[in-house]
Amino acid sequence: MPRMHGPSSADETAPAPNATDGRDAGEEWGAFWLGSMGQEQFVPFAETSSIGRDHTCVVVLDGGDVSRHHATIRRDGPLFVLSDRESRNGTFVNGVALGSQPVCLRLGDVIRIGGWVGVVARALEGVSMEFERRAGGTILGPSMRYALAPALLEAAKSLPIILEGETGSGKEVAARLLHEASGRPGPFVAVNCAAIPESLAEAELFGFRKAAFTGAARDQEGHFRAADGGTLLLDEIIDLPAAIQSKLLRVIEQREVVPLGESHPVKVDVGIVVAAQEGLARAVAQKRFRGDLHARLDGMTVALPALRHRREEIPVLFRHFLASAAPGEPPALSPRLLERLCVYDWPFNVRELAQLARRMRASTQGQSLLCSTQLPTEMVDDARRGPASDLVASPAPDGALAGLAEALRRCDGNVSLAAEHLGISRGKAYRLIKKANLQPLARKARS
């Protein structure tokens, strides 16, 4: 685990949802350090933060592939500047080798040092930077907790809540958390409004009596009555037909439904959460959504951050999805794989991340280490990743030799995979092998 010396780390923190160059007054920046074996810890930046494996560094990163004094982050007015200290294996920012030129860090930047990846984040008072793992497998990172905190406090008041966020950003997970926080004893029911045929929307939402229309072979209670006493999530609500929007407004105001074929209303007690990929206010302005319905639903609006705006959560969520995809111990992740996962923009958000984890777990059964070369082609962008680290050909310290020997053991003697795991070039790995006289392993790697 990374260890911090000097100023103590803040306990109550949260990252910002966007990447900027400057630093506002009162903000505290830091890096969320993530290791290839699942380590995770947020360390705030000091005025000068030395990084390396030496115990005197402000940020101590273990591993033979980390130099004793590897890099430095220093504050320069409102900026934080990262410099490499002529480390043996180099320092990388967003997949590109830093070299001798310092760089100003932005929120969301991804730093790779040896076997560690650090994601630059901003700390805000009130939210812990630690991950929260809930029963049922839900993992909440600091950004999601920060976004949901006001709504979770108000959940018990039965106010309608609007969740806005890109596809796959976790709106249904957020709605379930709001249901749990509400204390409502009834069920949680999720409905995808975009999947309901227009001709059946009223019947599916409000229910119907047997023989109310052709094909109605039995009574159907509808989604509102199914969620009675609990919470109903109306996902993609903008796709509801205008006529149904009008009836939905009456249901919410009167707290009763009139099933098709019935003449008397039925009382319902339902907490309402609605979700949309775009802002409902924009849809109202474009006359695609009723303004009076929006006003009635807007007890509170929560904007969920896209995955690319909470990059520190990506490795943690990816490991979780790997573990849940198949029984047994999930494989370790190489530093460059961690880096590529964090740098990628994830247009389909958590849903895309989960699908990639399931696909890679299925296609790499029996492997103990996943590397960036096993990622889809669109994620292995050599131009963004930068050149391989082969900066210094001088003899490596014993720690680096030990690290390579362990990587070769775990990679069954495959030099390319071992180099990938350590974040060094294959050529440098061969030089280390020659120095340590690891000839059998070298021959096995070429076979």
Side-chain angles (χ1 to χ4, degrees):
M1 292 292 290
R3 300 184 299 278
M4 189 191 72
H5 297 273
S8 60
S9 60
D11 293 328
E12 304 297 321
T13 55
N18 61 337
T20 60
D21 290 303
R23 179 173 178 268
D24 297 332
E27 286 183 356
E28 183 177 44
W29 284 27
F32 213 115
W33 293 99
L34 305 139
S36 59
M37 298 305 293
Q39 309 95 319
E40 58 194 51
Q41 182 179 336
F42 178 76
V43 180
F45 293 155
E47 288 295 313
T48 300
S49 298
S50 54
I51 306 171
R53 72 172 192 274
D54 191 272
H55 72 280
T56 62
C57 292
V58 172
V59 181
V60 181
L61 301 179
D62 298 327
D65 45 359
V66 179
S67 297
R68 291 176 61 84
H69 299 280
H70 198 109
T72 298
I73 299 173
R74 61 177 176 82
R75 181 176 173 180
D76 185 2
L79 304 175
F80 287 101
V81 180
L82 172 66
S83 303
D84 183 80
R85 298 181 64 180
E86 299 184 355
S87 63
R88 294 186 181 279
N89 292 317
T91 301
F92 297 77
V93 178
N94 299 327
V96 179
L98 185 59
S100 60
Q101 186 67 34
V103 65
C104 292
L105 295 174
R106 303 167 301 165
L107 293 175
D109 277 347
V110 180
I111 306 166
R112 174 162 60 85
I113 291 178
W116 296 87
V117 167
V119 179
V120 179
R122 178 172 57 192
L124 298 176
E125 185 177 356
V127 179
S128 169
M129 286 300 282
E130 294 183 356
F131 283 82
E132 180 181 344
R133 291 165 170 83
R134 296 197 172 199
T138 300
I139 296 179
L140 279 181
S143 292
M144 283 295 282
R145 285 206 314 279
Y146 181 72
L148 285 173
L152 290 172
L153 289 174
E154 300 293 329
K157 298 181 180 179
S158 296
L159 288 173
I161 294 176
I162 300 172
L163 299 174
E164 296 177 351
E166 296 179 6
T167 179
S169 58
K171 295 186 289 293
E172 184 169 339
V173 171
R176 288 183 181 275
L177 294 172
L178 292 170
H179 169 64
E180 293 173 7
S182 73
R184 301 180 67 86
F188 173 82
V189 177
V191 181
N192 184 353
C193 298
I196 303 177
E198 183 173 351
S199 60
L200 298 178
E202 183 176 359
E204 290 205 18
L205 288 174
F206 311 133
F208 56 85
R209 188 176 181 179
K210 180 180 178 180
F213 54 87
T214 302
R218 57 183 177 82
D219 291 350
Q220 180 74 35
E221 63 180 359
H223 295 305
F224 268 86
R225 284 192 288 175
D228 192 32
T231 301
L232 177 64
L233 167 64
L234 297 173
D235 197 6
E236 306 295 355
I237 192 171
I238 292 176
D239 291 324
L240 277 181
I244 303 302
Q245 291 182 27
S246 177
K247 294 186 177 184
L248 178 60
L249 176 62
R250 183 184 183 280
V251 169
I252 295 173
E253 289 181 337
Q254 302 296 325
R255 304 184 71 84
E256 60 185 25
V257 298
V258 180
L260 290 177
E262 295 279 2
S263 57
H264 299 290
V266 178
K267 289 290 184 182
V268 290
D269 176 21
V270 177
I272 302 294
V273 179
V274 302
Q277 294 184 35
E278 60 178 297
L280 288 186
R282 178 184 177 188
V284 170
Q286 296 174 347
K287 301 187 183 306
R288 294 184 293 118
F289 197 75
R290 291 180 63 104
D292 50 0
L293 178 56
H294 175 238
R296 187 63 184 84
L297 291 170
D298 195 15
M300 178 178 291
T301 296
V302 176
L304 299 181
L307 189 58
R308 64 183 173 277
H309 294 150
R310 44 190 169 111
R311 297 183 187 274
E312 71 279 358
E313 300 181 14
I314 292 171
V316 178
L317 292 173
F318 188 74
R319 286 193 181 93
H320 167 70
F321 295 134
L322 278 178
S324 59
E329 186 71 19
L333 309 178
S334 78
R336 287 188 183 175
L337 175 66
L338 286 176
E339 178 184 66
R340 294 311 309 155
L341 292 175
C342 290
V343 169
Y344 184 61
D345 274 345
W346 301 104
F348 301 105
N349 293 288
V350 180
R351 186 176 295 126
E352 182 182 7
L353 181 71
Q355 179 64 17
L356 174 65
R358 287 191 288 265
R359 187 165 70 244
M360 290 190 71
R361 187 74 194 270
S363 63
T364 58
Q365 285 293 329
Q367 293 188 19
S368 59
L369 177 71
L370 298 184
C371 298
S372 65
T373 53
Q374 297 167 296
L375 289 169
T377 303
E378 64 271 18
M379 294 184 65
V380 184
D381 185 345
D382 289 337
R384 293 185 68 186
R385 185 170 46 146
S389 175
D390 193 14
L391 304 180
V392 179
S394 58
D398 292 343
L401 296 176
L404 178 58
E406 173 62 17
L408 285 168
R409 184 189 65 79
R410 292 179 59 188
C411 298
D412 298 324
N414 187 309
V415 176
S416 296
L417 290 181
E420 167 83 9
H421 174 62
L422 293 174
I424 63 176
S425 70
R426 187 174 63 172
K428 183 163 187 175
Y430 275 116
R431 287 196 295 275
L432 290 173
I433 288 171
K434 183 176 181 180
K435 171 179 169 55
N437 197 29
L438 299 175
Q439 310 302 356
L441 284 174
R443 285 196 298 271
K444 181 176 181 180
R446 295 189 183 98
S447 62

